[in-house]
Amino acid sequence: LLKIRTKLRNHYDDIEREGKILSAFNLKAAYNGLHKKNYGFIEVTQMFFDNIKSELGKTYEWGTVKNYQTTLKFLKEFILKKYGVEDINIKEVQRNLIFQFKQFVTSRGNGNICNQNGFAKHFQRIKTVIHFAINNLFLDRDPFTGHREKLNEAKNVFLTKEELEKIKEIVL
């Protein structure tokens, strides 16, 4: 019992010294050695996605799940194409990855080209995954700190009354 208490105290001190969030979850993760495992970027993204799917209908709606699924799909394709492997260590994720990923999703072939607003939403979802990794001690810092993706204002075009009247007059 004394050994367990000492080990917990050492992990408690490490978490405080490193300035990480001190919680029962993080202390338990450190005690069980989870903070030392080298997690993959796709692996962590999949973990987060699985959490979202388990909350479908409670916290998250189908559209959110679908959007995260698309981001995960694009990340898998990107990492395979860019690095030639199925996953990379999450600690290897650097700021330039987001620029390369942007180039990848905004210039994809086969009709799946993504515009600036679409990419900005992917970036928001990736940032959420990064924060999930930090909060679970899989990552020490946010590699995208200070990076922002601006949403362009959508320009909605409305029909005039005359145009609406012309449409009403059309016989089908």
Side-chain angles (χ1 to χ4, degrees), residues 41-170:
F41 188 33
I42 298 298
E43 179 184 12
V44 172
T45 305
Q46 185 69 55
M47 271 190 246
F48 185 77
F49 178 64
D50 291 342
N51 287 344
I52 286 178
K53 279 197 309 191
S54 72
E55 293 292 319
L56 180 62
K58 301 172 202 157
T59 308
Y60 297 100
E61 295 300 323
W62 170 244
T64 302
V65 172
K66 179 184 68 71
N67 292 336
Y68 272 97
Q69 186 173 19
T70 301
T71 299
L72 176 60
K73 177 184 149 202
F74 287 173
L75 278 172
K76 285 179 177 180
E77 290 174 15
F78 167 71
I79 287 175
L80 188 59
K81 184 176 180 183
K82 171 76 177 149
Y83 299 97
V85 294
E86 292 184 1
D87 204 354
I88 59 171
N89 187 320
I90 194 159
K91 292 178 181 178
E92 294 174 17
V93 173
Q94 300 295 322
R95 182 178 220 131
N96 68 338
L97 178 131
I98 206 64
F99 298 112
Q100 295 165 348
F101 183 64
K102 181 177 187 175
Q103 179 65 32
F104 175 77
V105 297
T106 57
S107 63
R108 295 178 81 232
N110 66 10
N112 289 326
I113 295 175
C114 187
N115 65 18
Q116 172 59 31
N117 285 357
F119 174 73
K121 297 307 279 182
H122 285 298
F123 179 66
Q124 286 176 347
R125 290 188 282 275
I126 291 169
K127 287 278 285 185
T128 302
V129 169
I130 292 295
H131 288 269
F132 170 80
I134 292 168
N135 290 337
N136 287 288
L137 303 178
F138 305 150
L139 195 57
D140 295 327
R141 59 169 180 68
D142 181 351
F144 308 130
T145 298
H147 182 83
R148 298 194 191 283
E149 284 295 327
K150 189 175 182 180
L151 285 169
N152 294 332
E153 188 175 325
K155 295 178 183 172
N156 296 326
V157 179
F158 300 97
L159 296 175
T160 64
K161 282 189 176 187
E162 294 80 26
E163 291 168 327
L164 288 171
E165 290 301 321
K166 285 181 184 178
I167 291 173
K168 281 184 188 178
E169 294 171 4
I170 296 175

Side-chain angles (χ1 to χ4, degrees), residues 1 5 8 10-11 23 26 34 37 53 56 58 62 66 91 101 119 133:
L1 200 56
R5 180 179 291 163
L8 281 170
N10 289 340
H11 287 299
S23 67
N26 288 344
L34 297 178
K37 182 179 185 280
K53 279 197 309 191
L56 180 62
K58 301 172 202 157
W62 170 244
K66 179 184 68 71
K91 292 178 181 178
F101 183 64
F119 174 73

